[in-house]
Structures are given as C-alpha cells and as structure tokens.
Amino acid sequence: MDATAVDDTVALLSWGPILEACHDGPVDRSEIAERAGCSRSTAYRATTDLREEGLLERTDRGYRITGEGAAVLAQSQQFVAGVEGTARLQPLLEYVDNPAFVDLAARFADAEVVAPLESVPYRIENRMQSVIEGTRERMFGMTDGLGSPALAEAMFDRLRSGVTVDWLLPREMYDQFTAAYGPLSTHADDGGATTVFVHDELPVNLAVYDETLVVLGFDRERGVLGAVAIADDPVALQWSQETFEACRGAAERVE
C-alpha cells in the first residue's frame, strides 16, 4: 500500500462520524455537525469531499449517504471495532494465539477482560467462580490447563444442582483431573448429566456457561490463569459452539 492509499484510508476512517450522521438522512450541515460532534466548517469540508467521492449525495433537504457510502461506513466501523477489540483483548493475547479467535476481535470490543492484580491475587478465580455459580442449564468447554480447586468445586456444585456438563480435555489432563477429583460423572446427582471426551490437540481454551462465553489464557510458567475474556456476543458464542463441536467430533468419549 503506497502513501496515497494510506492517506485515503485514514481520511475514510476520519469521515466515519460524518457518514454515520447522514445514515438516516437527508440532514443539513448544522445537524451533521451536531451529530458528528464537529464544527460546521469541518462538516462543510467533509460533506463536500464525501460528495465528490460519491459517498454522499445532496438533496433539497440535505445530505444522505449513498449505497457505496453505506458500505464504506460498515467497513470502517468493523475496522474500528476490530482495533478496539484487539486493544481490549491485549492481556489475553499474551497467552492465546488462535487465528480464528484473533479474527473475531471485533466481537470482543465490549468484552470483560480480567487479568491479575497484585492487590487482588485471586481476581480471575473469583470472577470465574461467579460465572460458574450463575449457570443454570448447561456448561461446556475444552481446556488443557487445570483450574483451581475452588473452580472445580463450583463446577461440581452446579452438577449436583442438575446442570449438564460437556467437557473436552487432553488425555494427560483428564488423567490428572480424575486422579485429583475422581470421574466427573461421580459428582452429578440423578438430575445432572456429564459427557467427557479426550483429544490431545485443542486449538483454544474456552468454556460456555449458559449464554456466557469465557476464553481462557493459561500462564504456563506459573501454572495459573493469566487472563480471561468474558462475552455474550452471539457470533462469538456461535464460533465457540462450532469450535467445540469440531474438536469433539474428532475426540474419544471416556465418560
């Protein structure tokens, strides 16, 4: 990309608020300036430039966005959301490098990202425990790291309450978990149901608690959770479901 193309791209991004202000047009320049949070002189220059580019059209009642302008606005909004999502996920991306997850960064622009604080050593575990304890129907996930005993006990409590659990673990992790806590199915009462699969190549660590997705990043050196992202975006939830089902389809059921 040459310098001119870069300049044009930056200009388009800066024009985003003007295009958005005209999305439900036509609107006059005074209202455009108010909606976009800019001066009237800025609105004047921007509408003139955008009209020359074919992204706005002028009518008797003001300016409105064109079809091409709407497409450019959608692309710029997606780009901004991706940048914002990547920035929000920064603590987690230190531990997670799954390409499909990175491609979904825009869907995590509003996610809650929890990382450790020296003043709150169990911050991640406490937040995770609250998510688990709020589960009422089903939890499923795949992890290649053992959580703390408190998180395991929170899951067992949900099992005893009748929550369905589907889990996918590497064989070594399953053996370690079983040695520490016994088979997962033994913690369920008559109303609970569990299925456990083993597969040694998990693309990402994630868990879904009802309609809440948690993407987990393990600090391998310390053997603890390094960061988590908590989201309820429908597209992200669909990705987690499809990722889990694809791995489960290639896995071996053990419970």
Side-chain angles (χ1 to χ4, degrees):
M1 181 179 291
D2 60 26
T4 300
V6 171
D7 290 342
D8 289 345
T9 301
V10 172
L12 285 174
L13 290 172
S14 68
W15 285 334
I18 303 294
L19 289 171
E20 188 170 2
C22 299
H23 194 271
D24 299 321
V27 290
D28 61 29
R29 281 168 167 161
S30 296
E31 188 170 353
I32 291 171
E34 182 177 348
R35 290 184 181 185
C38 65
S39 67
R40 289 192 64 182
S41 60
T42 297
Y44 181 92
R45 290 194 302 271
T47 52
T48 299
D49 291 344
L50 289 168
R51 186 184 177 193
E52 290 178 355
E53 293 289 336
L55 306 181
L56 288 182
E57 61 183 4
R58 187 174 183 176
T59 72
D60 293 340
R61 292 183 294 152
Y63 291 86
R64 65 186 179 191
I65 198 167
T66 64
E68 182 181 357
V72 168
L73 175 60
Q75 290 296 322
S76 65
Q77 289 174 330
Q78 183 176 355
F79 176 80
V80 170
V83 171
E84 292 176 348
T86 300
R88 182 172 289 274
L89 292 172
Q90 188 277 327
L92 183 61
L93 293 176
E94 181 177 347
Y95 307 104
V96 180
D97 62 358
N98 177 265
F101 172 63
V102 174
D103 287 344
L104 281 174
R107 313 305 305 195
F108 289 85
D110 297 322
E112 175 187 358
V113 177
V114 186
L117 292 175
E118 290 186 8
S119 58
V120 189
Y122 298 106
R123 183 174 182 236
I124 298 177
E125 284 75 10
N126 291 342
R127 184 67 183 95
M128 283 292 302
Q129 187 169 344
S130 70
V131 172
I132 295 170
E133 290 173 347
T135 309
R136 295 293 177 264
E137 297 182 4
R138 183 196 180 201
M139 63 178 73
F140 68 87
M142 51 188 187
T143 58
D144 59 11
L146 282 177
S148 69
L151 296 185
E153 182 53 42
M155 180 171 63
F156 300 152
D157 176 73
R158 294 293 81 209
L159 259 175
R160 291 189 289 268
S161 75
V163 168
T164 297
V165 176
D166 298 298
W167 221 256
L168 183 57
L169 301 166
R171 169 64 70 175
E172 182 179 357
M173 193 62 56
Y174 172 74
D175 292 340
Q176 291 178 16
F177 184 90
T178 302
Y181 303 109
L184 191 61
S185 58
T186 63
H187 296 274
D189 66 6
D190 293 339
T194 66
T195 55
V196 182
F197 295 80
V198 293
H199 192 281
D200 287 332
E201 295 184 9
L202 304 184
V204 64
N205 290 280
L206 61 82
V208 174
Y209 304 94
D210 288 337
E211 298 300 320
T212 300
L213 165 64
V214 181
V215 181
L216 308 103
F218 284 97
D219 184 334
R220 304 298 178 186
E221 293 184 1
R222 299 172 57 213
V224 298
L225 282 168
V228 300
I230 304 171
D232 59 4
D233 177 83
V235 174
L237 282 164
Q238 181 66 27
W239 162 76
S240 67
Q241 179 79 42
E242 293 173 355
T243 302
F244 175 78
E245 291 177 354
C247 287
R248 185 178 60 183
E252 173 191 355
R253 181 169 178 173
V254 290
E255 291 186 40

Short mmCIF file of all heavy atoms in Angstrom, two decimals, residues 75-99:
data_model
loop_
_atom_site.label_atom_id
_atom_site.label_comp_id
_atom_site.label_asym_id
_atom_site.label_seq_id
_atom_site.Cartn_x
_atom_site.Cartn_y
_atom_site.Cartn_z
N GLN A 75 -17.58 -0.93 6.67
CA GLN A 75 -16.21 -1.42 6.73
C GLN A 75 -15.38 -0.63 7.76
O GLN A 75 -14.59 -1.22 8.50
CB GLN A 75 -15.56 -1.32 5.34
CG GLN A 75 -16.12 -2.29 4.32
CD GLN A 75 -15.87 -3.74 4.69
OE1 GLN A 75 -14.82 -4.09 5.21
NE2 GLN A 75 -16.86 -4.58 4.45
N SER A 76 -15.57 0.66 7.80
CA SER A 76 -14.81 1.46 8.76
C SER A 76 -15.23 1.15 10.19
O SER A 76 -14.39 1.08 11.09
CB SER A 76 -14.98 2.96 8.47
OG SER A 76 -16.31 3.38 8.66
N GLN A 77 -16.52 0.92 10.40
CA GLN A 77 -16.99 0.56 11.74
C GLN A 77 -16.44 -0.78 12.17
O GLN A 77 -16.07 -0.97 13.33
CB GLN A 77 -18.53 0.55 11.77
CG GLN A 77 -19.15 1.93 11.68
CD GLN A 77 -20.66 1.89 11.56
OE1 GLN A 77 -21.23 0.95 11.01
NE2 GLN A 77 -21.33 2.91 12.07
N GLN A 78 -16.38 -1.72 11.23
CA GLN A 78 -15.83 -3.03 11.54
C GLN A 78 -14.34 -2.92 11.87
O GLN A 78 -13.85 -3.58 12.79
CB GLN A 78 -16.04 -3.98 10.36
CG GLN A 78 -15.56 -5.41 10.63
CD GLN A 78 -15.86 -6.35 9.48
OE1 GLN A 78 -16.52 -5.98 8.51
NE2 GLN A 78 -15.41 -7.58 9.59
N PHE A 79 -13.63 -2.10 11.11
CA PHE A 79 -12.21 -1.91 11.37
C PHE A 79 -11.98 -1.32 12.76
O PHE A 79 -11.14 -1.79 13.53
CB PHE A 79 -11.59 -1.00 10.31
CG PHE A 79 -10.15 -0.67 10.56
CD1 PHE A 79 -9.14 -1.56 10.22
CD2 PHE A 79 -9.79 0.54 11.16
CE1 PHE A 79 -7.81 -1.26 10.47
CE2 PHE A 79 -8.47 0.84 11.40
CZ PHE A 79 -7.47 -0.06 11.06
N VAL A 80 -12.75 -0.27 13.08
CA VAL A 80 -12.60 0.37 14.39
C VAL A 80 -12.93 -0.62 15.50
O VAL A 80 -12.22 -0.69 16.52
CB VAL A 80 -13.49 1.62 14.48
CG1 VAL A 80 -13.53 2.16 15.91
CG2 VAL A 80 -12.98 2.69 13.53
N ALA A 81 -14.00 -1.40 15.32
CA ALA A 81 -14.37 -2.39 16.33
C ALA A 81 -13.26 -3.43 16.50
O ALA A 81 -12.97 -3.87 17.61
CB ALA A 81 -15.67 -3.07 15.95
N GLY A 82 -12.62 -3.82 15.39
CA GLY A 82 -11.52 -4.78 15.47
C GLY A 82 -10.34 -4.22 16.24
O GLY A 82 -9.72 -4.92 17.05
N VAL A 83 -10.02 -2.96 15.99
CA VAL A 83 -8.91 -2.33 16.71
C VAL A 83 -9.25 -2.22 18.20
O VAL A 83 -8.42 -2.53 19.07
CB VAL A 83 -8.62 -0.93 16.12
CG1 VAL A 83 -7.63 -0.17 17.01
CG2 VAL A 83 -8.07 -1.06 14.71
N GLU A 84 -10.49 -1.81 18.49
CA GLU A 84 -10.89 -1.69 19.89
C GLU A 84 -10.92 -3.05 20.58
O GLU A 84 -10.50 -3.18 21.74
CB GLU A 84 -12.27 -1.02 19.97
CG GLU A 84 -12.26 0.44 19.54
CD GLU A 84 -13.65 1.05 19.54
OE1 GLU A 84 -14.64 0.28 19.65
OE2 GLU A 84 -13.76 2.28 19.42
N GLY A 85 -11.41 -4.07 19.87
CA GLY A 85 -11.44 -5.41 20.44
C GLY A 85 -10.05 -5.95 20.69
O GLY A 85 -9.79 -6.56 21.73
N THR A 86 -9.14 -5.73 19.75
CA THR A 86 -7.75 -6.18 19.92
C THR A 86 -7.11 -5.50 21.11
O THR A 86 -6.40 -6.14 21.91
CB THR A 86 -6.95 -5.91 18.65
OG1 THR A 86 -7.54 -6.61 17.55
CG2 THR A 86 -5.50 -6.37 18.81
N ALA A 87 -7.35 -4.20 21.26
CA ALA A 87 -6.79 -3.47 22.39
C ALA A 87 -7.35 -4.01 23.71
O ALA A 87 -6.61 -4.18 24.69
CB ALA A 87 -7.10 -1.98 22.25
N ARG A 88 -8.65 -4.30 23.73
CA ARG A 88 -9.25 -4.81 24.96
C ARG A 88 -8.72 -6.20 25.30
O ARG A 88 -8.54 -6.53 26.47
CB ARG A 88 -10.78 -4.86 24.80
CG ARG A 88 -11.51 -5.33 26.05
CD ARG A 88 -13.01 -5.18 25.89
NE ARG A 88 -13.40 -3.80 25.91
CZ ARG A 88 -13.64 -3.09 27.02
NH1 ARG A 88 -13.50 -3.67 28.21
NH2 ARG A 88 -14.02 -1.84 26.95
N LEU A 89 -8.46 -7.00 24.27
CA LEU A 89 -8.00 -8.38 24.48
C LEU A 89 -6.51 -8.49 24.75
O LEU A 89 -6.00 -9.59 24.95
CB LEU A 89 -8.36 -9.23 23.27
CG LEU A 89 -9.84 -9.50 23.03
CD1 LEU A 89 -10.03 -10.19 21.68
CD2 LEU A 89 -10.43 -10.34 24.14
N GLN A 90 -5.78 -7.39 24.74
CA GLN A 90 -4.33 -7.42 24.82
C GLN A 90 -3.80 -8.30 25.96
O GLN A 90 -2.88 -9.11 25.74
CB GLN A 90 -3.79 -5.99 24.94
CG GLN A 90 -2.27 -5.89 24.83
CD GLN A 90 -1.57 -6.16 26.16
OE1 GLN A 90 -2.12 -5.83 27.22
NE2 GLN A 90 -0.39 -6.76 26.12
N PRO A 91 -4.34 -8.23 27.17
CA PRO A 91 -3.81 -9.10 28.24
C PRO A 91 -3.98 -10.58 27.92
O PRO A 91 -3.14 -11.40 28.29
CB PRO A 91 -4.64 -8.70 29.47
CG PRO A 91 -5.12 -7.32 29.18
CD PRO A 91 -5.38 -7.31 27.70
N LEU A 92 -5.08 -10.93 27.22
CA LEU A 92 -5.34 -12.33 26.90
C LEU A 92 -4.51 -12.81 25.72
O LEU A 92 -4.09 -13.97 25.67
CB LEU A 92 -6.83 -12.52 26.60
CG LEU A 92 -7.32 -13.93 26.31
CD1 LEU A 92 -7.09 -14.85 27.50
CD2 LEU A 92 -8.80 -13.91 25.93
N LEU A 93 -4.24 -11.92 24.76
CA LEU A 93 -3.49 -12.31 23.57
C LEU A 93 -2.05 -12.68 23.88
O LEU A 93 -1.36 -13.26 23.05
CB LEU A 93 -3.54 -11.19 22.54
CG LEU A 93 -4.92 -10.92 21.94
CD1 LEU A 93 -4.88 -9.72 21.00
CD2 LEU A 93 -5.46 -12.15 21.22
N GLU A 94 -1.60 -12.36 25.08
CA GLU A 94 -0.28 -12.81 25.51
C GLU A 94 -0.24 -14.33 25.66
O GLU A 94 0.83 -14.94 25.55
CB GLU A 94 0.08 -12.15 26.84
CG GLU A 94 1.44 -12.51 27.38
CD GLU A 94 1.78 -11.79 28.67
OE1 GLU A 94 1.07 -10.82 29.03
OE2 GLU A 94 2.76 -12.20 29.33
N TYR A 95 -1.41 -14.93 25.86
CA TYR A 95 -1.49 -16.37 26.10
C TYR A 95 -2.26 -17.12 25.03
O TYR A 95 -2.18 -18.36 24.96
CB TYR A 95 -2.17 -16.63 27.45
CG TYR A 95 -1.55 -15.87 28.60
CD1 TYR A 95 -2.18 -14.74 29.13
CD2 TYR A 95 -0.34 -16.26 29.15
CE1 TYR A 95 -1.62 -14.03 30.18
CE2 TYR A 95 0.23 -15.55 30.20
CZ TYR A 95 -0.40 -14.44 30.71
OH TYR A 95 0.17 -13.73 31.74
N VAL A 96 -3.03 -16.43 24.20
CA VAL A 96 -3.87 -17.08 23.19
C VAL A 96 -3.48 -16.57 21.81
O VAL A 96 -3.50 -15.36 21.57
CB VAL A 96 -5.36 -16.78 23.45
CG1 VAL A 96 -6.22 -17.45 22.38
CG2 VAL A 96 -5.78 -17.24 24.84
N ASP A 97 -3.16 -17.50 20.91
CA ASP A 97 -2.77 -17.09 19.56
C ASP A 97 -3.60 -17.79 18.49
O ASP A 97 -3.19 -17.89 17.34
CB ASP A 97 -1.27 -17.34 19.32
CG ASP A 97 -0.90 -18.82 19.43
OD1 ASP A 97 -1.80 -19.64 19.72
OD2 ASP A 97 0.28 -19.15 19.22
N ASN A 98 -4.80 -18.26 18.87
CA ASN A 98 -5.66 -18.94 17.91
C ASN A 98 -6.11 -17.96 16.82
O ASN A 98 -6.73 -16.94 17.12
CB ASN A 98 -6.88 -19.50 18.64
CG ASN A 98 -7.86 -20.16 17.70
OD1 ASN A 98 -8.82 -19.53 17.28
ND2 ASN A 98 -7.63 -21.41 17.37
N PRO A 99 -5.81 -18.22 15.54
CA PRO A 99 -6.13 -17.27 14.47
C PRO A 99 -7.62 -16.96 14.37
O PRO A 99 -8.00 -15.81 14.12
CB PRO A 99 -5.62 -17.98 13.20
CG PRO A 99 -4.57 -18.92 13.69
CD PRO A 99 -5.04 -19.37 15.02
#
